[in-house]
Every structure is written in C-alpha cells, then in structure tokens.
Amino acid sequence: MSYIAEGYNSFETKKTPSGIVKYLPDPKSVIALIQSGKLKEHILLVQGGTTTFLAPALSMGSIGVITMSGAPESHLGILSREFQMPCVMTAYLTGSESRYVTGGNNDAHFAAIIKALEGKKVQLHCEDRETGRVAVIA
C-alpha cells in the first residue's frame, strides 16, 4: 500500500477508518459539518493538536483525525485515545521534504498538506505504535 502522508500515531489500533478528508479551519466549519449530518463520512484535517473547537465533532462520533502539528500528548491526542478514534499527528506528505517546524512559519507546509489531502478519500492506518499513516484509496 502506498501512503501519501505519515505522522505520529496517537495510539495503536487496528481500526482503519476511511472517508473524505475535510479541512476544518475554525469552529464555524465544525458546526457546519455536524449540522450537515455527514460527520461520519469524513476524516477531519485540522492545523494543530490543540484545536479545542474540534471537541463537539469528537463527541458526536467522528471516525478519524489528521493534524498538521501537535503531539500525542496534546489535547487532540488525549481525546483521540479517550474516544478510541484513530489520529495521525504532525502529518507530513511522504513525497515532500517539508516538515512542521516548531515556532517557524509553517504556512506553506500547511497549505501543501491541505491541497494534497482535502477532498481525497483516504484510509488511516494506526497499527504501528509510533507512526500513523494516510493512504489514498479509490
């Protein structure tokens, strides 16, 4: 299997959720997705592991999350374990040298990930203790 992105794995699980990647930049986008009734059709993409506004989506049954920054010890890492929801954190594109830099300007890095993933049907693979992977599926 070919992986488009990798990152830290929040916790080991055999669950392999699949769905369309939906970038959620703000609380308004989270509320709109919940109200659409299509939450469980999407893998949620957010900027950071401290994105607290994602909590309502987690409690309502989101199936998986990808973050572009943050660690398994962060807010979303902890919540993903509590909800047993696969979560790939600080994801980077496997075909790119670009990586998240703490305290740096990561705008171009984030934009590239959003462009590569948003709207794609993906499957999360979090069976490895340390590395979570994102595969594009047909």
Side-chain angles (χ1 to χ4, degrees), residues 103-133:
N105 181 340
N106 294 287
D107 293 347
H109 176 69
F110 294 155
I113 293 171
I114 294 164
K115 182 178 180 186
L117 294 180
E118 187 167 31
K120 298 264 186 350
K121 185 164 188 179
V122 302
Q123 186 173 52
L124 300 185
H125 293 268
C126 297
E127 54 277 334
D128 183 87
R129 184 166 25 153
E130 302 207 358
T131 305
R133 294 176 173 89

Side-chain angles (χ1 to χ4, degrees), residues 11 18 23 26 33 41-42 49 58-59 71 73 83 91 116 123 128 131:
F11 71 101
S18 60
Y23 177 54
D26 52 38
L33 179 58
E41 297 174 19
H42 295 281
L58 302 183
S59 67
E73 300 79 22
F83 287 105
Q123 186 173 52
D128 183 87
T131 305

Side-chain angles (χ1 to χ4, degrees), residues 26-39:
D26 52 38
K28 194 166 137 181
S29 62
V30 173
I31 292 166
L33 179 58
I34 290 169
Q35 290 176 338
S36 76
K38 297 181 179 189
L39 176 63

Side-chain angles (χ1 to χ4, degrees), residues 7-128:
Y8 300 119
N9 187 15
S10 177
F11 71 101
E12 257 179 275
T13 180
K14 293 191 185 308
K15 291 180 183 177
T16 55
S18 60
I20 305 296
V21 175
K22 178 80 172 160
Y23 177 54
L24 300 172
D26 52 38
K28 194 166 137 181
S29 62
V30 173
I31 292 166
L33 179 58
I34 290 169
Q35 290 176 338
S36 76
K38 297 181 179 189
L39 176 63
K40 294 183 184 212
E41 297 174 19
H42 295 281
I43 301 294
L44 311 179
L45 176 63
V46 296
Q47 186 167 314
T50 58
T51 306
T52 57
F53 62 74
L54 195 60
L58 302 183
S59 67
M60 297 188 78
S62 62
I63 59 171
V65 172
I66 302 167
T67 74
M68 296 182 277
S69 66
E73 300 79 22
S74 68
H75 177 73
L76 281 179
I78 293 165
L79 288 177
S80 74
R81 288 189 292 282
E82 285 183 16
F83 287 105
Q84 291 296 292
M85 178 202 54
C87 182
V88 177
M89 307 194 78
T90 310
Y92 61 88
L93 300 174
T94 56
S96 170
E97 295 297 316
S98 179
R99 299 293 184 267
Y100 173 76
V101 178
T102 303
N105 181 340
N106 294 287
D107 293 347
H109 176 69
F110 294 155
I113 293 171
I114 294 164
K115 182 178 180 186
L117 294 180
E118 187 167 31
K120 298 264 186 350
K121 185 164 188 179
V122 302
Q123 186 173 52
L124 300 185
H125 293 268
C126 297
E127 54 277 334
D128 183 87

